[in-house]
């Protein structure tokens, strides 16, 4: 797990100062307008189509709160509370969420102690699981008034429009402030919420940060809750890797497969990515072991699922992350065990992941983290196509295709005696190297625009466009987290965008800071040098600088004319003409 303090500290430095500020006149006018609009809407004095000062999802929620749920606008303290027994049962059911969340909530608690804010964790049904309040009296008074208590059921149906209820419904980050809430009890507060999804992509819970202050928009609180939710989500999805993706051998339909991705769904237009996809398709048709190499976040499991659906679509797809299982459990997880073979073992025993993959595909992620003593056992299973359970004597025949993945250099590990050389050559009959996002040129913008459209549609908002400056920033950034990081960054930017356009400052701080502190200096130095060269050589400066700009655009987009023309703000035909004029196109 990431160091929680290091992960959060860059985001939380300004949280208290950003939450505590005086309202300006524009804020007061806005809040009064929203309150009046809400009353006009529920009393049929205005129609949804005429709404323009609040988001449509908020206005729709007002109507549901009033017309369908008959929520009392003046009193939200009547939300139901689970019985002690029912709440204890719910806590037990949400053990994985709480295990992943509690370390981060504990860190947030230190923030709340110095502010008036609340940290609230709810499950996917709106049941409050955790509440942390600040030490300031204003926070305590607010909590007494609102009765934010563990076990309370806060949904649109019980308290009306609020941030975490909208996050549950829309399954995306959202922020609600002041009179945007349905209940007047919330009219002096604001709240930012972000959903948390499990390994299967299902909603697991929602994290919220609330404050007894009114604000129209606060990027710090929204950024904090989104970043923390992503961190919790990463933890819970890592825990979820222990679950296998299949259903029993008698219940499976002939065409059933839990692997959802196929090659046609892998996005990429760059030459390196197209070559990688083409090679993977070829390898998929041959019954041989495949090793997928790539940095974290490049999509190794996406390729594994696509290979499975190309080669063994009727069988189960069983995935296991070798780095996510404790060393003491990995043997029984993979090979299974007979009943009573060790303390705590189930009486009837349990089949392992290798047996579960019989007739299908076994995907072992982070294979480089498998203990050396188990590597020898896995090698024997691969060679004999038979498995022995822990504590058992019988050899069980198994037929599975093995796909492994790693972000490490396995050959380097073999040289250091950390990975068996004979196992390496067994699992790496075919190798697929997924390029990092930073080497995919124009794919960065192609993917960004795809996710912008996807998330905007999910939030029921107009699809924003990327400004030229934002496009340039995305192409220059190094993307250490690859496609997964890009997805998160785009979700954040779509949430923060204003006036239908995404600008550089709408992206997470780590991307913006690198762009302003590093890339700006490099670009400034390059341009100054080119201008000096133009003056020295008495070359027409405009033409020379245009040539430099085109060279840089082609370099950044891997000579993708469509993307480069968008960056430069010229038509494709004009760019083709300029490329020919400056003799740039076919040069390496």
């Amino acid at each position: 797990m990431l160091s929680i303090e290091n992960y959060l500290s860059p985001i939380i430095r300004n949280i208290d100062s950003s939450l505590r500020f005086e309202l300006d006149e524009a804020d007061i006018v806005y809040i009064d307008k929203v309150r009046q609009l809400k009353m006009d809407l529920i009393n049929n004095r205005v129609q949804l189509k005429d709404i323009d000062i609040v988001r449509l999802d908020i206005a729709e929620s007002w109507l549901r709160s009033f017309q369908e749920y008959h929520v009392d606008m003046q009193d939200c303290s009547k939300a139901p509370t689970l019985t002690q027994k029912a709440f204890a049962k719910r806590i037990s059911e949400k053990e994985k969420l709480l295990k992943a969340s509690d370390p981060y909530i504990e860190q947030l608690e230190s923030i709340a102690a110095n502010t008036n804010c609340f940290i609230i964790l709810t499950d996917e049904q709106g049941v409050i699981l955790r509440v942390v309040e600040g030490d300031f009296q204003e926070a305590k008074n607010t909590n007494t008034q609102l009765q934010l208590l563990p076990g309370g059921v806060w949904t649109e149906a019980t308290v009306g429009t609020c941030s975490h209820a909208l996050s549950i419904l829309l399954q995306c980050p959202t922020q609600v402030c002041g009179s945007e809430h349905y209940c007047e009890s919330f009219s002096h507060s604001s709240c930012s919420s972000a959903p948390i999804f499990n390994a299967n992509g299902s909603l697991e819970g929602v994290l919220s940060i609330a404050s007894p202050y009114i604000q129209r928009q606060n990027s710090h609180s929204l950024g904090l809750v989104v970043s923390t939710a992503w961190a919790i989500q990463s933890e819970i999805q890592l825990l979820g890797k222990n679950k296998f993706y299949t259903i029993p051998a008698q219940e499976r339909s002939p065409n059933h497969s839990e692997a959802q991705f196929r090659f046609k769904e892998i996005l990429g237009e760059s030459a390196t990515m197209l070559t990688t996809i083409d090679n993977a398709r070829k390898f998929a048709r041959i019954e041989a072991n495949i090793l997928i190499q790539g940095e974290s976040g490049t999509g190794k499991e996406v390729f594994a699922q696509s290979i499975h659906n190309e080669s063994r679509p009727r069988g189960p797809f069983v995935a296991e992350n070798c780095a996510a299982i404790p060393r003491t459990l990995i043997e029984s997880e993979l090979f299974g065990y007979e009943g009573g073979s060790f303390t705590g073992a189930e009486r009837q025993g349990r089949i392992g992941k290798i047996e579960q993959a019989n007739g299908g595909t076994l995907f072992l992620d982070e294979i480089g983290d498998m203990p050396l003593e188990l590597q020898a056992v896995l090698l024997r299973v691969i060679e004999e196509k038979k498995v022995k359970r822990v504590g058992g004597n019988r050899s069980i025949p198994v037929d599975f295709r093995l796909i492994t993945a790693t972000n490490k250099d396995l050959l380097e590990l073999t040289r250091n005696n950390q990975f068996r050389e004979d196992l390496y050559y067994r699992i790496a009959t075919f190798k697929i190297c997924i390029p990092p996002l930073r080497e995919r040129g124009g794919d960065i913008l192609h993917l960004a625009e795809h996710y912008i459209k996807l998330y905007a549609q999910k939030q029921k908002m107009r699809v924003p466009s990327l400004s030229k400056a934002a496009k340039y920033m995305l192409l220059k950034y190094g993307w250490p987290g690859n496609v997964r990081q890009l997805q998160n960054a785009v979700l954040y930017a779509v949430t923060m965008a204003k006036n239908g356009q995404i600008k550089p400052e709408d992206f997470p701080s780590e991307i913006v800071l690198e762009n302003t502190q590093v890339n700006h200096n490099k670009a400034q130095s390059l341009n100054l040098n080119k201008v000096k060269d133009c003056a020295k050589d008495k070359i027409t400066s405009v033409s020379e600088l245009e040539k430099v700009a085109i060279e840089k655009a082609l370099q950044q987009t891997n000579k993708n004319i469509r993307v480069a023309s968008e960056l430069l703000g010229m038509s494709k035909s004009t760019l083709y003409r300029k490329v020919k004029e400056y003799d740039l196109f076919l040069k390496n």
Side-chain angles (χ1 to χ4, degrees), residues 5 21 116 122 127 135 156 259 379 390-391 411 453 508 527 545 559 566-567 583:
E5 186 173 359
F21 61 88
N116 275 303
T122 67
V127 177
D135 290 338
E156 194 178 70
L379 178 62
V390 175
L411 282 175
K453 183 178 180 180
N527 288 339
L545 290 175
K559 298 186 178 180
E566 291 178 4
L567 274 180
D583 192 25

Side-chain angles (χ1 to χ4, degrees), residues 31 33-34 150 165 181 234 241 320 379 385-386 392 412 428 431 529 538 555 565:
I31 290 165
K33 281 185 177 181
V34 171
H181 292 95
S234 295
K241 286 291 185 182
E320 186 62 272
L379 178 62
K385 291 295 182 180
K386 293 179 181 179
E412 181 65 25
K431 284 191 290 186
N529 289 336
K538 297 182 180 180
Q555 179 186 2
S565 65

Side-chain angles (χ1 to χ4, degrees), residues 83-112:
T83 65
Q84 187 174 355
K85 182 178 180 180
F87 183 58
K89 182 175 182 291
R90 196 62 186 143
I91 288 291
S92 176
E93 292 169 346
K94 305 305 291 185
E95 179 184 5
K96 194 172 290 185
L97 171 63
L98 293 170
K99 182 179 179 181
S101 303
D102 281 345
Y104 290 94
I105 292 176
E106 183 179 342
Q107 178 67 21
L108 288 174
E109 189 171 1
S110 64
I111 304 166

Side-chain angles (χ1 to χ4, degrees), residues 161-436:
T161 308
C162 60
S163 183
H164 81 264
L166 283 178
S167 266
I168 290 172
L169 287 171
L170 303 175
Q171 299 195 4
C172 66
T174 188
Q175 189 172 57
V176 178
C177 68
S179 295
E180 291 177 346
H181 292 95
Y182 177 78
C183 283
E184 283 301 303
S185 306
F186 296 142
S187 62
H188 295 288
S189 63
S190 64
C191 188
S192 300
S193 301
I196 301 166
F197 298 97
N198 61 28
N200 296 325
S202 301
L203 184 66
E204 189 73 22
V206 171
L207 183 70
S208 301
I209 294 180
S211 166
Y213 301 109
I214 307 169
Q215 65 228 26
R216 291 184 64 177
Q217 179 78 344
N218 186 282
S219 59
H220 292 293
S221 54
L222 184 61
L224 174 59
V225 77
V226 169
S227 298
T228 309
W230 286 343
I232 294 170
Q233 181 171 294
S234 295
E235 293 294 323
I236 203 169
Q237 290 183 353
L238 189 63
L239 292 171
K241 286 291 185 182
N242 293 338
K243 181 179 179 180
F244 62 91
Y245 301 97
T246 185
I247 59 176
Q250 68 271 20
E251 295 180 17
R252 188 183 299 117
S253 63
N255 294 316
H256 177 80
S257 173
E258 288 294 331
Q260 58 180 321
F261 291 103
R262 289 168 172 76
F263 285 117
K264 64 181 180 181
E265 294 161 346
I266 299 178
L267 301 176
E269 297 178 349
S270 63
T272 54
M273 198 61 178
L274 290 175
T275 299
T276 302
I277 295 171
D278 185 55
N279 288 341
R281 281 184 185 274
K282 293 175 181 176
F283 299 160
R285 301 179 189 126
I286 303 172
E287 279 290 324
N289 299 328
I290 295 176
L291 171 65
I292 303 175
Q293 294 178 298
E295 297 176 4
S296 295
T298 50
K300 294 187 288 293
E301 184 161 347
V302 172
F303 271 82
Q305 292 187 14
S306 299
I307 292 167
H308 167 79
N309 282 322
E310 189 88 1
S311 59
R312 292 191 169 203
R314 297 190 177 189
F317 177 80
V318 182
E320 186 62 272
N321 188 318
C322 298
I325 315 173
R327 292 175 68 93
T328 54
L329 297 179
I330 189 169
E331 183 176 15
S332 59
E333 282 288 312
L334 286 178
F335 306 107
Y337 59 84
E338 298 291 354
S341 56
F342 55 86
T343 303
E346 295 179 12
R347 183 179 302 175
Q348 70 276 19
R350 181 185 293 178
I351 68 171
K353 298 300 172 67
I354 294 174
E355 283 185 74
Q356 292 165 11
N358 189 39
T361 301
L362 175 66
F363 174 55
L364 297 180
D365 200 2
E366 306 300 349
I367 187 69
D369 291 286
M370 177 175 282
L372 269 172
E373 60 271 19
L374 291 188
Q375 292 178 23
V377 184
L378 177 61
L379 178 62
R380 187 166 62 249
V381 172
I382 295 171
E383 291 175 339
E384 298 176 357
K385 291 295 182 180
K386 293 179 181 179
V387 64
K388 280 186 181 180
R389 297 180 185 174
V390 175
N393 296 315
R394 61 194 177 109
S395 294
I396 304 168
V398 284
D399 170 32
F400 63 92
R401 178 171 201 164
L402 180 64
I403 302 176
T404 55
T406 184
N407 59 9
K408 297 182 177 181
D409 184 342
L410 292 188
L411 282 175
E412 181 65 25
L413 293 182
T414 63
R415 287 190 284 270
N416 295 329
N417 297 318
Q418 294 174 290
F419 198 84
R420 291 181 63 106
E421 188 175 25
D422 49 2
L423 178 60
Y424 171 78
Y425 288 112
R426 271 291 186 176
I427 65 175
T429 306
F430 291 119
K431 284 191 290 186
I432 297 170
C433 297
I434 305 177

